[in-house]
Amino acid sequence: MKKVLVLEDEANIRSFVVINLKRAGYETIEAGTGEEALEQLQRNPDIKVALLDIMLPGIDGFEVCRRIRASNSQIGIIMLTARTQEMDKVTGLMTGADDYVTKPFSPAELTARVDALYRRTGGAVTENADEISQPPFLLNTRNRTLEKNGQRIKLTQVEYAIVKLFMDNPGKALSREDILDTVWGRDYFGELKIVDVNIRRLRIKLEDDPTNPVYINTVWGYGYKWGV
Ligand code: CA
């Protein structure tokens, strides 16, 4: 069963989300507080995607995201943000979320986002070559892990997919649209900005000096280029 965690304190929004996810074939686990969400995740380690509201009684959605990511880089995380909280999107992504949906959202938009993330995190990935070695990086496509100088770098599934795309195309300028299409899928409704935020987070993880990147180079007005 495809399990999704829905953390939302407002009961009417939560049931709207739950009804639509069930209709799309998901099993939903509900939580009304961040603490409850973390408990549910421990009880249900097979949850593949979590939807996290931000404004909550008790710990907020960012803190929940941070705590999940401290021990789990595999789960897909979507933040539920309010339209007025533009900065929340960036903050959420910087704390380790993969995506965000802005309230109010349509059922189609919500399920498209969950589907896209579920496809990436749900396994069903078969690769032929096991390793791509581009010193100082070594990408293991079987375990979906990345090492730099022999040290494991923890990546989210989205970050992994971006690095894989880069390592498959060394030295090639990739447009932000290319990256969005490949990583998020062509049916993705989101904005290009999500690419930039993920790149910013990846630079912090991969670069010796994130302010002077040498691996992920900006191609001004176009996108990014992997240089090793
Ligand atoms: Ca709320």
Side-chain angles (χ1 to χ4, degrees):
M1 199 62 181
K2 307 191 289 182
K3 272 193 196 174
V4 178
L5 174 81
V6 180
L7 166 59
E8 168 66 67
D9 60 319
E10 284 171 62
N12 55 342
I13 300 179
R14 192 170 70 234
S15 56
F16 169 80
V17 169
V18 163
I19 286 165
N20 285 291
L21 289 177
K22 281 185 176 161
R23 212 169 271 162
Y26 291 96
E27 179 183 347
T28 52
I29 309 286
E30 298 181 45
T33 66
E35 290 83 351
E36 208 184 312
L38 293 169
E39 265 176 45
Q40 288 290 9
L41 277 167
Q42 282 204 321
R43 223 173 294 154
N44 299 277
D46 53 339
I47 291 173
K48 293 286 195 326
V49 173
L51 297 177
L52 307 180
D53 182 31
I54 295 168
M55 298 291 283
L56 298 162
I59 59 171
D60 69 11
F62 297 136
E63 182 58 25
V64 175
C65 183
R66 237 178 257 121
R67 291 194 197 176
I68 294 172
R69 278 286 178 251
S71 61
N72 186 339
S73 56
Q74 300 298 305
I75 192 171
I77 299 178
I78 300 174
M79 305 303 291
L80 305 177
T81 68
R83 196 169 291 285
T84 49
Q85 298 164 309
E86 188 63 22
M87 275 312 292
D88 284 358
K89 297 172 180 174
V90 175
T91 311
L93 293 168
M94 293 306 284
T95 59
D98 297 298
D99 200 358
Y100 53 80
V101 180
T102 307
K103 294 179 196 174
F105 41 80
S106 70
E109 184 183 7
L110 177 75
T111 50
R113 298 294 185 90
V114 175
D115 286 346
L117 199 51
Y118 191 88
R119 271 201 303 277
R120 276 202 315 278
T121 56
V125 178
T126 47
E127 305 276 355
N128 296 323
D130 276 4
E131 288 182 344
I132 306 176
S133 174
Q134 290 168 12
F137 297 103
L138 179 67
L139 190 76
N140 184 315
T141 55
R142 185 167 300 236
N143 304 332
R144 299 167 75 84
T145 55
L146 179 71
E147 289 179 3
K148 180 184 178 189
N149 294 317
Q151 301 275 18
R152 172 76 64 86
I153 296 175
K154 274 194 178 179
L155 298 180
T156 66
Q157 292 295 325
V158 167
E159 291 165 350
Y160 170 85
I162 295 173
V163 171
K164 170 84 165 50
L165 177 64
F166 277 142
M167 291 182 79
D168 283 340
N169 296 280
K172 184 184 172 194
L174 299 170
S175 73
R176 295 151 88 225
E177 289 85 354
D178 288 340
I179 298 171
L180 195 75
D181 280 355
T182 308
V183 174
W184 280 266
R186 282 182 191 280
D187 53 355
Y188 182 72
F189 284 67
E191 304 156 44
L192 284 171
K193 193 171 58 178
I194 197 171
V195 174
D196 302 320
V197 178
N198 272 279
I199 294 288
R200 203 197 306 171
R201 206 169 62 199
L202 262 178
R203 278 176 170 157
I204 293 170
K205 294 187 178 185
L206 304 189
E207 300 283 350
D208 300 323
D209 175 5
T211 55
N212 287 303
V214 295
Y215 304 120
I216 304 175
N217 300 291
T218 300
V219 182
W220 293 107
Y222 186 70
Y224 299 95
K225 188 173 78 176
W226 181 244
V228 281

